[in-house]
Amino acid sequence: MRISRTAPWAAGLAAAALFLIPATATAGPQRTAAAPRAAAAATSVDDYYAPAAGKTGAALKKALHDIIKNQSTVTYDGVWNALKVTDQDPANPNNVILVYSGRSQSKNTNGGGVNDWNREHVWAKSHGDFGTATGPGTDLHHLRPEDVTVNSTRGNKDFDMGGSPVAEAPGSYTDADSFEPRDAVKGDVARMLLYMAVRYEGGDGFPDLEMNDKVNNGTAPLFGRLSLLKQWNQMDPPDAFEKRRNQVIFDTYQHNRNPFIDHPEWVNSIW
C-alpha cells in the first residue's frame, strides 16, 4: 500500500487559527439556523462537541449529526470564491492547491478549459442524485478544486486501491470502477466522505448518505470502500492545511465543522 505519512493524530487546532484569511465568497440563504459569525468564531472546539461527549457507536453518530446539521449554506456559484479561500496555497496566496493533483494553480484559472480547475464533489453528486442543490451539492466540507481533466477521470467512482497512473495527478491511480488519490490526501478523502455520511441522514429533504464496503455503487446514496477509508484515516492524519480549511469553513462560511478532522478517533468509534 502506498502510504507515506505516519504522523500521529495529536496535532492540535491551534495552528489552524494562524492561517485564517478574510472571506471573498458570498454565502447563500440559510437553510437551517446558524450561529452569528462572531459567536461561531468564539466557540471552543470542546464546547461545540459537548453534546457528543462520552458517546460511541450509533449514539455518537446521531449526536454529531445533530451538532453539524446546524449550518449556513453557500450557493453553487458562491463555491467558486469560497474554494479560493479554503484551499489557498499557504506558500502563494494567489493560488489554490488541487486536491488530487497536488498542483498549485492560479485562483483565476477556474472554469471548464482543459487546464482549468473546477469544483470536485468528493462525494460524487450522482451517489444519491442530489446534483448541485444547496445542501450536499454545495457543502464545502467535500468540495475541492481539481484539474478539469483529472476531475473527469475520477468521475463518480468509489475509492479503492490500484489501477493505472492518472495523468496530471502524480501518485493517483484509477481503473474501471475506482479511484485512488495520492497518499497525502488519502485521509482527507476519507474524512470528507465520513462527514457526509453523518451530516446527511435523510431528515432534511436530502438523501440518507451512508458508507459501505463496495465499489460500483452507481446512483445509490452509498460510498465505499469503507474498510479502506478507515485505514486511510489512520495512516494519513489531519495536517495543518486540512485543519485550517475546517476552521475557515466554520468561521466564515457554513459555521459547522467536520468532526473527523477534529477527532479522527471517532471514525472507529462509529464504524
Side-chain angles (χ1 to χ4, degrees):
M1 182 178 290
R2 292 177 294 273
I3 300 289
S4 58
R5 288 189 351 216
T6 56
W9 285 335
L13 284 171
L18 298 177
F19 296 98
L20 293 181
I21 298 171
T24 58
T26 301
Q30 292 185 2
R31 179 163 47 81
T32 55
R37 293 187 178 187
T43 302
S44 75
V45 175
D46 287 345
D47 288 344
Y48 182 75
Y49 293 118
K55 293 182 171 62
T56 60
L60 175 59
K61 187 182 181 192
K62 182 181 185 305
L64 293 176
H65 168 75
D66 289 342
I67 294 167
I68 67 177
K69 72 179 182 180
N70 297 305
Q71 69 178 92
S72 299
T73 57
V74 179
T75 66
Y76 197 50
D77 283 341
V79 167
W80 286 119
N81 283 334
L83 292 180
K84 293 176 183 180
V85 179
T86 60
D87 290 73
Q88 179 172 293
D89 182 350
N92 185 345
N94 296 313
N95 287 10
V96 292
I97 300 293
L98 308 187
V99 59
Y100 306 134
S101 303
R103 187 168 74 237
S104 178
Q105 182 157 323
S106 171
K107 293 178 177 179
N108 297 325
T109 58
N110 60 297
V114 172
N115 289 313
D116 289 342
W117 64 268
N118 61 5
R119 297 160 292 187
E120 156 70 342
H121 289 78
V122 177
W123 185 293
K125 55 185 181 290
S126 63
H127 287 233
D129 195 27
F130 53 74
T132 58
T134 302
T138 69
D139 195 313
L140 294 171
H141 282 295
H142 84 115
L143 282 160
R144 302 292 292 268
E146 184 49 69
D147 176 87
V148 168
T149 303
V150 176
N151 196 342
S152 178
T153 298
R154 188 267 158 139
N156 69 347
K157 296 172 183 175
D158 293 87
F159 291 93
D160 204 350
M161 297 292 290
S164 302
V166 177
E168 297 190 72
S172 297
Y173 300 82
T174 192
D175 56 23
D177 58 15
S178 69
F179 188 90
E180 178 189 349
R182 60 192 176 100
D183 289 354
V185 295
K186 280 181 163 69
D188 306 50
V189 165
R191 288 180 285 273
M192 285 185 276
L193 294 174
L194 297 169
Y195 160 87
M196 294 291 281
V198 171
R199 168 61 188 89
Y200 298 100
E201 294 279 37
D204 51 4
F206 297 111
D208 180 6
L209 306 182
E210 296 294 344
M211 306 303 302
N212 67 7
D213 210 33
K214 302 177 182 179
V215 294
N216 279 325
N217 278 300
T219 60
L222 301 168
F223 238 101
R225 180 178 300 266
L226 176 59
S227 59
L228 185 61
L229 295 169
K230 289 173 63 179
Q231 292 178 39
W232 290 357
N233 173 58
Q234 290 184 295
M235 295 175 182
D236 172 36
D239 61 12
F241 185 92
E242 192 180 0
K243 292 174 184 176
R244 172 199 171 275
R245 190 176 196 278
N246 193 31
Q247 191 69 39
V248 170
I249 293 171
F250 177 67
D251 287 338
T252 307
Y253 297 104
Q254 295 184 183
H255 312 309
N256 73 339
R257 307 182 70 88
N258 182 333
F260 305 114
I261 296 173
D262 297 323
H263 289 278
E265 73 278 6
W266 281 347
V267 171
N268 286 340
S269 295
I270 294 174
W271 287 280

